[in-house]
Structure formats: C-alpha cells, structure tokens
Amino acid sequence: MVRIDPNGLRAPYLQLADALRARIEAGEIPPGRKVPSQTELEEESGLSRNTVKKALDVLKNEGLLITAPGRGLFVTERDDTQQA
C-alpha cells in the first residue's frame, strides 16, 4: 500500500513517484518486469488518474520506465557500468 500525505509539502504525484522509485531500487519491481497499472495504482494510492499519470511520466522521463505498446509500463534494464 502506498501512503500519500495529501497535506504534505511534496506534491502527491511526486510522493507516488518516490514510492515507486524506491520499490524499483529495492528490487521489489526488478528490471524487465511490469509495474502496476494506472488503475491498480489509483486504487492503491487513492489518487486520481491524472495524478498517477504524472507520477509515471516522471519515472519515464528519468529513464526508469519504458512503455511497451499494448502491454503496459516496464522497468527498464539498467547497465550498472554506466553512470547517469
């Protein structure tokens, strides 16, 4: 369950992006695996569809997620020898 503080200083979409990033970095969602769908994340976080989309867009822009058309969002394969 993702805990979002609606009254916190950090915007809810950034809180969700932080939570998903932490799950990816901890190996809970390993490279090459699908992340929960927008609908699942909406239900899990209690956030609106647009807010969830913004959080996923942050992670896509960071290069952590990639879209597989018709299949969903996946964690990108990372090359540990390269520094970002």
Side-chain angles (χ1 to χ4, degrees), residues 2-4 14-24 59:
V2 177
R3 291 189 177 264
I4 303 297
L14 292 175
Q15 292 179 52
L16 179 57
D18 291 345
L20 288 171
R21 188 182 306 103
R23 289 170 68 179
I24 291 167
L59 298 178

Side-chain angles (χ1 to χ4, degrees), residues 5-79:
D5 180 1
N7 298 314
L9 179 61
R10 194 149 170 85
Y13 80 95
L14 292 175
Q15 292 179 52
L16 179 57
D18 291 345
L20 288 171
R21 188 182 306 103
R23 289 170 68 179
I24 291 167
E25 290 172 356
E28 185 179 329
I29 310 172
R33 301 306 263 177
K34 188 174 180 180
V35 297
S37 70
Q38 277 190 239
T39 302
E40 291 169 324
L41 290 170
E42 289 169 38
E43 292 170 0
E44 189 177 322
S45 67
L47 297 173
S48 73
R49 186 162 193 78
N50 287 337
T51 302
V52 170
K53 184 182 180 322
K54 282 176 68 173
L56 294 172
D57 286 344
V58 166
L59 298 178
K60 285 195 293 189
N61 290 334
E62 290 177 4
L64 288 175
L65 300 180
I66 188 167
T67 302
R71 298 192 58 222
L73 283 173
F74 291 78
V75 177
T76 57
E77 298 286 342
R78 306 288 292 194
D79 183 354

